[in-house]
Amino acid sequence: MPREEQRPLISNDHQGSFGVSPQELSHLVDPKSPHLLERLGGTEQLAKKLRVDVRVGLSTDEGVERSSDMPFTERQAVFGRNVLPEAQSKTFMELLWAAYNDKTLIMLTIASFVSLAVGIWEDYSPRHPPDEPRVGWVEGTAILVAVLAVVLTNAVNDYQKEAQFKKLNAKKEDREVKVLRGGKQQQISVYDLNVGDVLELEPGDIVPVDGVFLQGHNLACDESSATGETDTMKKQVEGKGDCFILSGSKVLEGVGRALVIAVGEHSFYGKTMMSMRGEESEGTPLQIKLDVLAEQIAKLGFAAALAMLLTLVIKFFIQASLQDEFPPAGEIAAAMISIVIQAITIIVVAVPEGLPMAVTMALAFATTQMLKDNNLVRVLAACETMGNATAICSDKTGTLTQNRMTVVRGTLAEESFDSIENIKDWAKKVDPKAVQELLFENIAINSTAFEGKDENGNVDFVGSKTECALLSFSKSLGSSYEDIRHDTKVAKVFPFSSKRKTMTTVIKVQENTASSKSQSDYRVYAKGASEIVLGACTRFVDAKGNTNKFDKEVRTRWNNIITEYANNALRTIALAYRDINTEEFESATSNDEPPLEELTLIGIVGIMDPLRPGVVESVAKFREAGVFVRMITGDNLNTAKAIARNAGILTKGGEALTGPELRAMSIEEQRKVIPRLQVLARSSPTDKTIVVSRLQEQDQVVGMTGDGTNDGPALKLADVGFSMGIAGTEVAKEASDIILMDDNFNSILKALLWGRAVNDGVRKFLTFQLTVNIAAVALSFISAVGSSNSESVLSAVQLLWVNLIMDTLAALALATEPPTEDLLQRKPISKYAHLINFTMGKMIIGQAIFQIVINLCVIYLGKPIFHLGDSPHDEAVLRTIVFNIFVFLQVFNEINCRRIDGSINVFKDIFDNWIFVTIQIVVVVGQVLIVTFGGIAFKTTPLTPMQWLVTVAIGALSIPVGTIIRLLPDCGFERRFREEARQLATYSRMHWEGAIGDVRNGLRVYSMLRRSRHPHRSHSRSESITSVRSSLLGTSPPRYGAVRSDSSPPSPQGVANGNSPGGNTNRFASLVAYAQDFNRAAEAAADRQQNKASNNHQ
């Protein structure tokens, strides 16, 4: 605003003070208190206390005296900023304690302290040989260090995950809002709102602050999320009704302005959010499934550990009783402690605590990477659910198309232009006063778009893309929308709604209002879907501004214009007006429905919105991946069909319907038609809910896109709701699971890829972990029972190192595998499928048996194979060889587990995943260091180069064994345990059925032509067409090929007389040609009838 207008307001108060406190403002809305507002002097005095002129808003440079000063510093110091204090996250020490707070780790710690005490006692007891080093403390210390390593790793992972999600939440909550500052509309970040700002409200906004209603039209809010009241709250100015607007409420309809009175933690929503802090979020469905599986595996592990404990204790006492002298108490205690430690270690190895962590890490990695692909994940469960989606229902505008709308064709005042270049030629043909001014006034007044800076900082129109296209069109002809809005007095506004598909504004006629032949006290301007507006018109304007009555021929001509534009994939918008007197105005505006009757048509424009690059390819990839794509749009049926064909969505045999047609069907009819439904035009938000419900009733996993306020229920109902980050309303974003930051259909494909990558990553880790679990438990049990001193061949510390490899490091390596195009080569997995499929089960059992057999062979046959004796050193070498073989079997099996889909090449794209390669290197280096230098703690001894070569080679056998397991025949088990989701309709089947339908149509027409040769079957040409059409529409699927509107049916008598001397071949060819012409004519008539029925429903 001009600085001299704002200065007097500031200078009235002493510097740095406001006439009201944040607490008083907060008490205005919690609870709503009209009496307090009255005590403060009402809205006008409140604005003065807040030092703002509500007509122009805050000054953009308030409080700035030097270039280094920041605006609104004093205001924010008093009333705060519109951000909540950062939630107190867990410290690293708290995360350490949470990671350590595991029963098994606590049991292991207690056992290690007992072992440490016993070890030190033995080292310094009189029985300790003087020539041996005192190393009894090593095992207990090593177990403690291993426990600490596991805890530290888990804590670091949790810390990084929390930091990543904090960044995502900050991104999720930021959005743009419209305010009035300096007399101009601006878009600012929601974080930059201040007390005293004048906030612009539109349908779909979620109000970010508390406010007092200043002015507007039909503003209604849903405050159920804030107050629990389900009734829609109409907003009125002070003294006439509810003037308080609560933060967190949703604008359902109308437009308006509000004075901001509370922000951040002082607002109603801020207080609620602060009180809810500290609530723990629930696990995702995959985490819950894995928790159940982990619990089952843990029970088996406990059973194995208990069996091992009892067996070894019984064995020890049997051996002790057979000796000449019973062992002393110290030796018995040491043996018991050793047995308990082994049993606990078995539990540590068997309990798959890494499974839930694998899901968390996979989701944390995927959500971070998906943000780079313009997918902001709001609900973690949506990421994994999307991987098994079977149906995608997508909007058209801005999702499939670029949302860069341009008026390219138009018929206005009966004069047409067919390209952007011819617009000025059109302007020369029509009366500037009687036609152009009416048109410009309609476009400027019937719009909430305005000129400002877009997301890239360029000056452009901001708002609805359709309205921006119309404003650009009028600007190209020299019109100034700002001047028109400034000079016009708006009496009533009926904002655009997806239900009405129109926007209507009533203005008071003044001296500078555009003139018309029927000028009166008020004028109604209407803009919207062409069929709806045209249906409400009774007159039209010609090039000279004269109004003429509609007759049947004229209405047909306008309908043909709509059809022509629609068939060229153009969105059609009709513009109309009506002059009314004061009495008619009062009658027409007495309710909330716009006066759409007896309108005068100005004309129709065709707006082009080209397909986004890559959409055709993405649709083809979805089809390849077994995902059925449907387009749901508010556009005209012909426009929708043309764009769907261009995108590859509408295919042969598919259905295209309008929303009213779908709603008119019974539930059973809807269930039958929806599997083949590919296009739904003229749809309402209710239709989206119907489509989602019918698909889910047939066990489909549905992804749904939406951008409008009324799309909220459908987005909530869908398994995965996608909202638009640019064009979407705040209500839609709040209801969705994933926000498409670029409103791009191609981003949905990326979400599918990442969803499948998450599910696959967890399954890969599950395959690897269960293999290690089975092998380690079985090997420890068998070797301990078979050992003379009841010791497992793998020590407790060694098993903890294996546990670290298979839990944390393997989860990080396998669960962060990036997606590849190969994931699109398979069909979706059923939501009822078990976590472990037949291929995985075959690999787990096969590899576990192989590892157990190999290690047992080395334990019992290793001495002659490696030329080792019975000396203590050779015993240590053999134990080290077994340990080394076991670890390298896991290293190579991890590579093997990269492919769980039956693929032979497990090395494909291995270097694309640097995390996997790095972790493998870390594990190998760690193993080399442990074997070479970890002798005392890990009970290992250095190996010779040949022994290293042999042990690594034996470990590498995991890969060829894995190949053999993959090649084993499934013997019918694969089909019995089929996990693919059930497909309602396949493209190939639809294509064949469509082709069969075409043949059936041709045969029917040919049959009718044959019958028309008989005198008693003779009909007029029109009757033949009607009967053909009814026959075609009776049972065969509709055809959506190109329609030749100029084709006319031939005379049946011409066919009858076609028995010329050309023989049967010529006669048959002639009949086929006539049959094709009849088919085209019947289809054209059917399309016209379908459009007419759609208009009647509207």
Side-chain angles (χ1 to χ4, degrees), residues 457-771:
N458 303 317
V459 177
D460 200 356
F461 286 106
V462 178
S464 160
K465 297 300 180 181
T466 303
E467 292 178 354
C468 291
L470 291 169
L471 287 174
S472 297
F473 166 72
S474 64
K475 184 180 179 180
S476 70
L477 293 172
S479 171
S480 170
Y481 81 96
E482 287 179 312
D483 292 343
I484 294 172
R485 290 180 185 176
H486 184 268
D487 296 338
T488 303
K489 184 177 180 182
V490 176
K492 184 84 170 177
V493 177
F494 299 90
F496 177 85
S497 77
S498 53
K499 180 183 176 183
R500 292 190 289 262
K501 301 199 182 297
T502 59
M503 178 177 180
T504 307
T505 305
V506 185
I507 65 168
K508 182 84 170 73
V509 174
Q510 302 174 110
E511 288 182 13
N512 50 8
T513 302
S515 60
S516 70
K517 301 292 182 182
S518 56
Q519 197 148 318
S520 188
D521 302 327
Y522 292 89
R523 179 171 297 150
V524 178
Y525 279 120
K527 162 187 71 85
S530 52
E531 301 96 330
I532 294 169
V533 175
L534 184 63
C537 290
T538 56
R539 306 181 72 86
F540 65 95
V541 176
D542 62 19
K544 294 180 180 179
N546 299 318
T547 61
N548 306 283
K549 283 189 176 181
F550 264 103
D551 57 25
K552 190 175 181 180
E553 185 181 341
V554 172
R555 193 173 292 278
T556 303
R557 188 169 77 244
W558 281 106
N559 274 321
N560 288 339
I561 289 168
I562 294 171
T563 303
E564 182 190 352
Y565 288 0
N567 285 338
N568 284 287
L570 300 181
R571 166 176 280 192
T572 55
I573 301 293
L575 302 151
Y577 76 98
R578 176 191 172 194
D579 288 311
I580 57 176
N581 57 35
T582 304
E583 187 180 337
E584 288 174 315
F585 165 72
E586 291 173 354
S587 173
T589 58
S590 60
N591 56 41
D592 295 335
E593 288 301 315
L596 294 178
E597 54 188 5
E598 298 182 18
L599 299 179
T600 301
L601 182 69
I602 299 172
I604 292 171
V605 293
I607 300 177
M608 183 177 72
D609 187 12
L611 285 173
R612 284 183 178 273
V615 161
V616 178
E617 292 80 2
S618 293
V619 171
K621 286 177 180 176
F622 268 118
R623 189 181 307 160
E624 190 179 4
V627 182
F628 200 97
V629 180
R630 294 171 176 84
M631 187 178 87
I632 302 179
T633 177
D635 269 348
N636 171 288
L637 180 62
N638 289 327
T639 305
K641 283 160 62 175
I643 291 173
R645 276 197 208 96
N646 294 341
I649 293 173
L650 184 59
T651 59
K652 198 175 190 67
E655 293 274 4
L657 297 173
T658 63
E661 288 172 340
L662 182 69
R663 289 195 296 274
M665 294 178 179
S666 67
I667 292 177
E668 279 306 314
E669 288 172 331
Q670 289 172 353
R671 284 186 185 135
K672 286 178 183 177
V673 77
I674 278 179
R676 305 168 68 91
L677 180 69
Q678 292 180 319
V679 176
L680 187 64
R682 285 291 177 236
S683 67
S684 70
T686 307
D687 301 323
K688 288 187 174 182
T689 308
I690 291 171
V691 172
V692 173
S693 300
R694 299 296 165 263
L695 287 169
Q696 288 178 334
E697 285 167 5
Q698 300 177 71
D699 287 337
Q700 299 297 290
V701 177
V702 186
M704 168 68 75
T705 69
D707 56 6
T709 303
N710 293 334
D711 289 332
L715 292 174
K716 275 286 184 191
L717 184 63
D719 297 280
V720 183
F722 291 91
S723 64
M724 305 297 122
I726 300 170
T729 62
E730 294 309 315
V731 174
K733 291 176 186 176
E734 194 69 21
S736 66
D737 304 302
I738 297 175
I739 299 174
L740 300 177
M741 304 300 287
D742 58 353
D743 292 10
N744 195 337
F745 182 79
N746 301 330
S747 298
I748 304 176
L749 182 67
K750 291 173 183 173
L752 177 78
L753 274 169
W754 275 108
R756 292 192 174 184
V758 166
N759 287 316
D760 272 18
V762 173
R763 282 184 150 198
K764 289 171 187 176
F765 174 69
L766 185 60
T767 305
F768 174 74
Q769 171 137 52
L770 293 186
T771 304

Side-chain angles (χ1 to χ4, degrees), residues 736-987:
S736 66
D737 304 302
I738 297 175
I739 299 174
L740 300 177
M741 304 300 287
D742 58 353
D743 292 10
N744 195 337
F745 182 79
N746 301 330
S747 298
I748 304 176
L749 182 67
K750 291 173 183 173
L752 177 78
L753 274 169
W754 275 108
R756 292 192 174 184
V758 166
N759 287 316
D760 272 18
V762 173
R763 282 184 150 198
K764 289 171 187 176
F765 174 69
L766 185 60
T767 305
F768 174 74
Q769 171 137 52
L770 293 186
T771 304
V772 185
N773 276 7
I774 295 170
V777 170
L779 192 62
S780 298
F781 187 92
I782 295 169
S783 62
V785 171
S787 166
S788 58
N789 56 1
S790 299
E791 279 191 10
S792 166
V793 71
L794 297 174
S795 71
V797 183
Q798 289 174 354
L799 282 174
L800 283 173
W801 165 240
V802 171
N803 190 57
L804 183 68
I805 293 173
M806 76 179 190
D807 270 358
T808 307
L809 298 180
L812 191 60
L814 292 170
T816 58
E817 190 96 25
T820 64
E821 292 293 316
D822 293 344
L823 294 173
L824 300 176
Q825 305 296 320
R826 64 162 194 255
K827 304 305 178 194
I829 295 170
S830 169
K831 58 184 177 182
Y832 302 114
H834 197 274
L835 278 171
I836 304 171
N837 60 23
F838 177 75
T839 307
M840 290 168 63
K842 189 167 67 170
M843 185 60 66
I844 291 166
I845 294 169
Q847 285 284 356
I849 291 172
F850 166 71
Q851 290 185 15
I852 293 167
V853 169
I854 283 289
N855 280 285
L856 289 177
C857 287
V858 173
I859 290 170
Y860 295 109
L861 303 174
K863 288 180 180 178
I865 293 173
F866 291 97
H867 307 291
L868 299 173
D870 294 326
S871 67
H873 177 265
D874 285 353
E875 289 283 350
V877 168
L878 184 62
R879 289 172 64 94
T880 305
I881 287 173
V882 172
F883 172 52
N884 213 33
I885 288 173
F886 187 82
V887 169
F888 276 99
L889 281 170
Q890 312 320 318
V891 168
F892 286 101
N893 190 38
E894 198 166 340
I895 297 173
N896 200 47
C897 290
R898 289 186 68 246
R899 290 286 176 268
I900 56 169
D901 54 358
S903 302
I904 301 298
N905 185 5
V906 294
F907 294 99
K908 187 179 181 182
D909 302 322
I910 191 170
F911 293 108
D912 291 346
N913 185 5
W914 63 269
I915 296 177
F916 182 90
V917 175
T918 304
I919 285 174
Q920 293 297 87
I921 292 170
V922 167
V923 170
V924 170
V925 170
Q927 181 65 14
V928 170
L929 293 174
I930 286 170
V931 169
T932 308
F933 305 107
I936 296 175
F938 285 86
K939 295 185 178 178
T940 59
T941 188
L943 300 178
T944 65
M946 180 56 67
Q947 288 168 342
W948 269 105
L949 184 65
V950 172
T951 53
V952 172
I954 292 173
L957 290 175
S958 276
I959 292 176
V961 168
T963 305
I964 294 168
I965 293 170
R966 286 184 177 89
L967 294 174
L968 289 175
D970 57 30
C971 302
F973 287 102
E974 185 77 40
R975 288 188 294 277
R976 187 176 299 175
F977 298 104
R978 191 178 183 85
E979 62 174 1
E980 284 184 7
R982 184 172 68 92
Q983 290 185 288
L984 298 181
T986 61
Y987 287 98

